[in-house]
Coordinates of all heavy atoms in Angstrom, one line a residue:
G40 N 129.3 139.3 104.4 CA 129.7 140.7 104.3 C 130.1 141.2 102.9 O 130.7 142.2 102.7
A41 N 129.8 140.3 101.9 CA 130.1 140.6 100.5 C 128.9 141.2 99.9 O 127.8 141.0 100.3 CB 130.5 139.3 99.8
T42 N 129.1 141.9 98.8 CA 128.1 142.5 98.0 C 127.6 141.4 96.9 O 128.5 140.9 96.2 CB 128.5 143.7 97.2 OG1 129.0 144.7 98.2 CG2 127.4 144.3 96.4
P43 N 126.3 141.1 96.9 CA 125.9 140.1 95.9 C 126.0 140.6 94.5 O 126.0 141.8 94.2 CB 124.4 139.8 96.3 CG 124.1 140.7 97.5 CD 125.3 141.6 97.8
D44 N 126.0 139.6 93.6 CA 125.9 140.0 92.1 C 124.5 140.5 91.8 O 123.5 139.7 91.9 CB 126.3 138.7 91.3 CG 126.1 139.0 89.8 OD1 126.0 140.1 89.4 OD2 126.0 138.0 89.1
L45 N 124.4 141.7 91.5 CA 123.1 142.4 91.3 C 122.6 142.4 89.9 O 121.6 142.9 89.6 CB 123.1 143.8 91.9 CG 123.5 143.9 93.4 CD1 123.6 145.3 93.8 CD2 122.4 143.1 94.2
T46 N 123.4 141.8 89.0 CA 123.1 141.9 87.5 C 121.7 141.3 87.2 O 121.0 141.8 86.3 CB 124.2 141.3 86.7 OG1 124.4 139.9 87.1 CG2 125.4 142.1 86.7
P47 N 121.2 140.2 87.9 CA 119.9 139.7 87.6 C 118.7 140.4 88.2 O 117.6 140.0 88.0 CB 119.9 138.2 88.1 CG 121.0 138.2 89.1 CD 121.9 139.3 88.9
A48 N 119.0 141.6 88.8 CA 117.9 142.3 89.6 C 116.7 142.7 88.7 O 115.6 142.5 89.0 CB 118.4 143.5 90.3
A49 N 117.0 143.2 87.5 CA 115.9 143.6 86.6 C 115.1 142.4 86.1 O 113.8 142.5 86.1 CB 116.5 144.3 85.4
R50 N 115.7 141.3 85.8 CA 115.0 140.1 85.4 C 114.1 139.6 86.6 O 113.0 139.2 86.4 CB 115.9 139.0 84.9 CG 115.2 137.8 84.4 CD 116.1 136.8 83.8 NE 117.0 136.2 84.8 CZ 118.3 136.2 84.7 NH1 118.9 136.6 83.6 NH2 119.1 135.7 85.7
L51 N 114.7 139.6 87.8 CA 114.0 139.2 89.0 C 112.8 140.1 89.3 O 111.8 139.6 89.7 CB 114.9 139.1 90.2 CG 116.1 138.1 90.1 CD1 117.1 138.3 91.2 CD2 115.5 136.7 90.1
A52 N 112.9 141.4 89.0 CA 111.8 142.3 89.2 C 110.7 141.9 88.2 O 109.5 141.9 88.6 CB 112.3 143.7 89.0
R53 N 111.0 141.6 87.0 CA 110.0 141.2 86.0 C 109.3 140.0 86.4 O 108.1 139.8 86.3 CB 110.6 141.1 84.6 CG 110.8 142.4 83.9 CD 111.2 142.2 82.4 NE 112.4 141.4 82.2 CZ 113.7 141.9 82.3 NH1 113.9 143.2 82.6 NH2 114.7 141.1 82.1
I54 N 110.1 139.0 86.9 CA 109.5 137.7 87.3 C 108.5 138.0 88.5 O 107.4 137.5 88.5 CB 110.6 136.7 87.7 CG1 111.3 136.2 86.5 CG2 110.0 135.6 88.5 CD1 112.6 135.4 86.8
S55 N 108.9 138.8 89.4 CA 108.1 139.1 90.6 C 106.8 139.8 90.2 O 105.7 139.5 90.7 CB 108.9 140.0 91.6 OG 110.0 139.3 92.1
T56 N 106.9 140.7 89.2 CA 105.7 141.4 88.7 C 104.7 140.4 88.0 O 103.5 140.4 88.3 CB 106.1 142.5 87.7 OG1 106.9 143.4 88.4 CG2 104.9 143.2 87.2
I57 N 105.3 139.5 87.3 CA 104.5 138.5 86.6 C 103.8 137.6 87.7 O 102.6 137.3 87.6 CB 105.3 137.6 85.6 CG1 105.7 138.5 84.4 CG2 104.5 136.4 85.2 CD1 106.8 137.8 83.6
Q58 N 104.6 137.3 88.7 CA 104.0 136.4 89.8 C 102.9 137.2 90.5 O 101.9 136.6 90.9 CB 105.1 136.0 90.8 CG 106.0 135.0 90.2 CD 107.2 134.7 91.1 OE1 107.9 135.7 91.6 NE2 107.5 133.5 91.3
A59 N 103.0 138.5 90.7 CA 102.0 139.3 91.3 C 100.7 139.2 90.5 O 99.6 139.0 91.1 CB 102.4 140.7 91.5
V60 N 100.8 139.3 89.2 CA 99.6 139.2 88.3 C 99.0 137.8 88.5 O 97.8 137.7 88.5 CB 100.0 139.5 86.9 CG1 98.9 139.2 85.9 CG2 100.4 141.0 86.7
L61 N 99.8 136.8 88.5 CA 99.3 135.4 88.7 C 98.6 135.2 90.0 O 97.6 134.5 90.1 CB 100.5 134.4 88.5 CG 101.1 134.3 87.1 CD1 102.3 133.5 87.1 CD2 100.1 133.9 86.1
V62 N 99.1 135.9 91.1 CA 98.4 135.8 92.4 C 97.0 136.4 92.2 O 96.0 135.9 92.7 CB 99.2 136.4 93.5 CG1 98.4 136.6 94.8 CG2 100.5 135.7 93.8
V63 N 96.9 137.5 91.6 CA 95.6 138.2 91.4 C 94.7 137.2 90.6 O 93.5 137.1 91.0 CB 95.8 139.6 90.7 CG1 94.4 140.1 90.3 CG2 96.5 140.5 91.6
L64 N 95.2 136.6 89.6 CA 94.4 135.6 88.8 C 94.0 134.5 89.7 O 92.8 134.0 89.6 CB 95.1 135.2 87.6 CG 95.4 136.2 86.5 CD1 96.3 135.7 85.4 CD2 94.1 136.8 86.0
M65 N 94.9 134.0 90.6 CA 94.5 133.0 91.5 C 93.3 133.4 92.4 O 92.4 132.6 92.7 CB 95.7 132.6 92.4 CG 96.7 131.7 91.7 SD 98.1 131.3 92.8 CE 97.3 130.5 94.2
V66 N 93.4 134.7 92.9 CA 92.3 135.2 93.7 C 91.0 135.2 92.9 O 89.9 134.8 93.5 CB 92.6 136.6 94.3 CG1 91.4 137.2 94.9 CG2 93.8 136.5 95.2
L67 N 91.0 135.6 91.7 CA 89.8 135.5 90.9 C 89.3 134.1 90.7 O 88.1 133.9 90.8 CB 90.1 136.1 89.5 CG 90.4 137.6 89.5 CD1 90.8 138.1 88.1 CD2 89.2 138.4 90.0
A68 N 90.2 133.2 90.5 CA 89.8 131.8 90.4 C 89.2 131.3 91.7 O 88.2 130.6 91.7 CB 91.0 130.9 90.0
A69 N 89.8 131.6 92.8 CA 89.3 131.2 94.2 C 87.9 131.7 94.4 O 87.1 131.0 94.9 CB 90.3 131.6 95.2
T70 N 87.7 133.0 94.1 CA 86.4 133.6 94.4 C 85.3 133.0 93.4 O 84.2 132.8 93.8 CB 86.4 135.1 94.3 OG1 86.9 135.5 93.0 CG2 87.3 135.7 95.4
A71 N 85.8 132.6 92.2 CA 84.8 132.0 91.3 C 84.4 130.6 91.8 O 83.3 130.2 91.8 CB 85.5 131.9 89.9
M72 N 85.4 129.9 92.3 CA 85.2 128.6 92.9 C 84.2 128.6 94.1 O 83.3 127.8 94.2 CB 86.5 127.9 93.3 CG 87.0 126.9 92.5 SD 88.5 126.1 93.1 CE 88.8 126.7 94.6
A73 N 84.5 129.6 94.9 CA 83.6 129.8 96.1 C 82.2 130.0 95.8 O 81.3 129.8 96.6 CB 84.2 130.9 97.0
R74 N 81.9 130.5 94.6 CA 80.6 130.8 94.2 C 80.0 129.8 93.2 O 79.0 130.0 92.6 CB 80.5 132.2 93.5 CG 80.4 133.3 94.6 CD 81.3 134.5 94.3 NE 81.3 135.3 95.5 CZ 82.2 135.2 96.5 NH1 83.1 134.2 96.4 NH2 82.2 136.0 97.5

């Protein structure tokens, strides 16, 4: 029932965005491999 420490939220958002880009690159690699 406590409020979490939200100070790292902006950094976590940046990390998540970078990870999303990396997932897209993984999809590109996977489709290249499949071909």
Side-chain angles (χ1 to χ4, degrees):
T42 301
D44 174 16
L45 302 173
T46 54
R50 184 176 65 231
L51 294 170
R53 280 191 300 278
I54 289 170
S55 297
T56 300
I57 292 166
Q58 289 172 313
V60 170
L61 293 172
V62 170
V63 170
L64 294 174
M65 281 179 60
V66 169
L67 292 173
T70 56
M72 254 182 8
R74 277 138 192 88

